Amino acid sequence: MKALRVFRTLSSSLSANSSKTHFNSTNFRRLYSAQTQEENPTNTGLSSSEEDDTSSSVFDSSQYDVGLGLSNDVNSENSVSSTWDEKYRERVKTKVFGEDPSEIKSSRILIKEEEKRRRAALLARTLLEASLERPDEDGNEDKEDEVVKEEDQMSLSVGIIGAPNAGKSSLTNYMVGTKVSAVSRKTNTTTHEVLGVMTKGKTQICFFDTPGLMLKKSGFPYKDMKARIESAWRSIDLYDVLIVIFDAHRHLGKPDSRVVRLIERMGSEANPKQKRLLCINKVDLIEKKKDLLKVAKEFKDLPGYERCFMISGLKGAGVKDLTKYLMEQAVKRPWDEDPFVMSEEVMKNISLEVVREKLLHYIHQEIPYGIDHRLMDWKELRDGSLRIEQHLITHKISQRKILVGKNGSKIGRIGIEANEELRTIFKRNVHLVLMVRVKS
Ligand SMILES: Nc1nc2c(ncn2[C@@H]2O[C@H](COP(=O)(O)OP(=O)(O)OP(=O)(O)O)[C@@H](O)[C@H]2O)c(=O)[nH]1
C-alpha cells in the first residue's frame, strides 16, 4: 500500500502555480509560515540576561548522535554501549580518582534511561517505516514503478467531519498508513485541512481531515466561529463521500446534544451527489456489546446515511471494511495527486507537522497553541541531506523557558524525536535546527 501525505487547504490549495517556497493558505500561515523571514533572524528578541542561555534554546541535530543509517535493528547495542566493563571503570573512579559513588550511580541511571529512550525511538521509527511500506490486504507490496494510464485511473475524495476529539485525525492517519496530522489528547488540534492520499493499484483516495466542526445547541453552526470553520462547512458538499464520525464511548457516558444534532443534521436527508457514512468510533473503549448496539440503534433510521461502520480509528478495528467500501466507490477520474513524488511543499509541511506533534506531546498547558511556528530555512545539501530550520516564537519569556526546559532538555527531546521521524519519512539524513525565541 502506498501512502503519501499531502497537505492542502481546500479554500486555497497549494496549486501548481504557487511558489515552491511560499504557501498560499491563510489558514495555514496563521500557525506555520514557510516564508523567509523579513525580520533579522539573528535578532533573537531576548533581553541581555535571556541571551545568556540562548544556546540551550537551540536544538541542533548535528550536536546529537542521532545515528546515520536507517537500520531497523531495535536491539542493536552498538551505538552507545561501551566497550569496557562499567563496574571496573566505576571502581577506578572511586578508588583512584576519589569520585562520589552516588554520583556515579546516578549517571549510570541516566545512561540506562537514555538507552531506553533510544530503543523506544528506534522501535517507533521501525513501526513508522513498516507502516510506510505496509503490504496490502493480500500481502502484496506495492510495485514502486507501476504506471497507471490516465484513462484507467479511478479517484475518490473523502471528507471526515465530527466534533473535536472524535478521532478524525487518527482515522485519517490509520487509513493513509502513517502520520498525517497532529494527534493529541487536546481538542481542536487540527488547525488546517489535511489531505492524506492513498494510492492502491488503479485507485487513488484523497482524505480531507476537516477542522473540528460543531453546532451550537440550536442545531446551527456557530456564526462567530472563525473563518476556517465556515469554510469547512461550505466545503463538505464537495466530497464524493462524507464520513461523519463520533466518539461512541463518550456518547454513552456523557452524550453531547451538539454531537447528536450534527449526526442528525448530516443524516436528515440523502444527498444524491454524495454518499454519507456514519462512523461509530472508539469501539475499543466500549466493553459491552449491548451498549454498542444501543448506540447503533439510536441512529439507524437516519435516511442520509448510506452505511454505518463501527470502528476504532486508532486501533484499526473495522477500518479494513471501511477502506474496502471506499475503494469500491471510486469513479473513473484522473488522479489529483502524483502518487510517487513527495513535493517540496508537502515535505515542508510534514516537517512542521512532525515538530508540532512533538510539541503537543511534550508541552502541556495551552502553550503549543500560542506559538508562532515558522519554517525559516530549507536547504538540500550537496550530500543529499536536508537542513531544516524552524523557529518557535513565544509571546512570553516564561513560555520560552517551559519550551526550552532545564538546560535545553525539552527542546532537545522534541528535536531528537522529530529529527528521527523526519529522517525515516524522507529516507535521507536530516539536519534539524529548532530555535526557541521570544517575540520582539
Ligand atoms: N481508544 C481510542 N482512542 C482514540 C480513537 N480514535 C482517536 N482516539 C484518541 O482520541 C483523541 C483525539 O483524537 P484525534 O484523532 O486527534 O481527534 P480529532 O477529531 O482529529 O480532534 P480535533 O483535531 O480536535 O478535531 C486522541 O487522544 C486519540 O488517540 C479510537 O478509536 N480509540
Side-chain angles (χ1 to χ4, degrees), residues 165-170 184 187-190 281-282 284 312-314:
N165 255 347
K168 300 177 292 295
S169 308
S170 307
S184 84
T187 56
N188 271 312
T189 55
T190 313
N281 194 30
K282 306 197 187 179
D284 56 296
S312 168
L314 190 71

Side-chain angles (χ1 to χ4, degrees), residues 246-248 250-257 259-261 263-264 278 280 290-303 305 308 310:
F246 73 102
D247 179 341
R250 201 196 142 161
H251 179 73
L252 278 167
K254 204 176 158 212
D256 182 338
S257 60
V259 171
V260 174
R261 283 179 195 279
I263 296 168
E264 286 174 351
L278 183 63
I280 302 177
K290 74 172 191 333
D291 284 342
L292 207 52
L293 294 175
K294 197 173 112 192
V295 180
K297 214 170 149 196
E298 194 181 334
F299 300 112
K300 80 173 180 15
D301 293 327
L302 291 169
Y305 296 111
C308 176
M310 293 189 191

Side-chain angles (χ1 to χ4, degrees), residues 45-232:
L46 305 177
S47 66
S48 54
S49 61
E50 280 297 313
E51 291 281 5
D52 295 344
D53 71 332
T54 301
S55 61
S56 60
S57 69
V58 180
F59 163 83
D60 185 332
S61 66
S62 65
Q63 288 163 14
Y64 292 79
D65 177 16
V66 287
L68 287 175
L70 286 168
S71 156
N72 286 339
D73 183 2
V74 176
N75 292 314
S76 151
E77 296 287 331
N78 49 18
S79 64
V80 285
S81 60
S82 41
T83 52
W84 56 80
D85 187 328
E86 287 291 344
K87 280 187 199 137
Y88 287 123
R89 170 143 297 207
E90 276 165 28
R91 219 177 295 160
V92 170
K93 277 181 180 164
T94 39
K95 295 257 154 63
V96 181
F97 299 108
E99 284 185 25
D100 182 352
S102 64
E103 271 180 27
I104 296 172
K105 199 173 164 206
S106 64
S107 79
R108 206 168 58 207
I109 293 169
L110 276 179
I111 291 172
K112 273 200 181 140
E113 276 175 4
E114 177 55 27
E115 172 68 1
K116 220 164 115 190
R117 191 211 61 76
R118 191 185 66 83
R119 283 186 187 211
L122 262 174
L123 184 63
R125 196 176 60 183
T126 308
L127 291 172
L128 191 68
E129 189 91 31
S131 70
L132 280 165
E133 282 157 14
R134 203 164 60 183
D136 64 20
E137 293 118 57
D138 311 319
N140 303 316
E141 296 276 342
D142 260 349
K143 292 186 195 90
E144 283 284 328
D145 46 6
E146 193 181 0
V147 178
V148 180
K149 284 192 234 142
E150 203 172 300
E151 59 267 30
D152 295 333
Q153 292 174 356
M154 308 283 286
S155 297
L156 190 77
S157 66
V158 179
I160 306 177
I161 71 161
N165 255 347
K168 300 177 292 295
S169 308
S170 307
L171 176 64
T172 309
N173 295 349
Y174 196 92
M175 287 196 283
V176 171
T178 183
K179 287 189 184 124
V180 185
S181 56
V183 179
S184 84
R185 269 162 273 113
K186 302 181 179 86
T187 56
N188 271 312
T189 55
T190 313
T191 49
H192 54 96
E193 286 130 0
V194 176
L195 168 67
V197 180
M198 185 181 83
T199 308
K200 195 178 160 203
K202 292 178 180 175
T203 307
Q204 182 174 83
I205 303 180
C206 295
F207 294 99
F208 293 86
D209 179 15
T210 61
L213 282 176
M214 258 336 248
L215 297 169
K216 59 179 175 177
K217 294 257 185 238
S218 65
F220 293 101
Y222 282 109
K223 278 219 175 74
D224 55 345
M225 287 290 256
K226 332 285 176 268
R228 69 187 175 96
I229 295 195
E230 278 164 22
S231 91

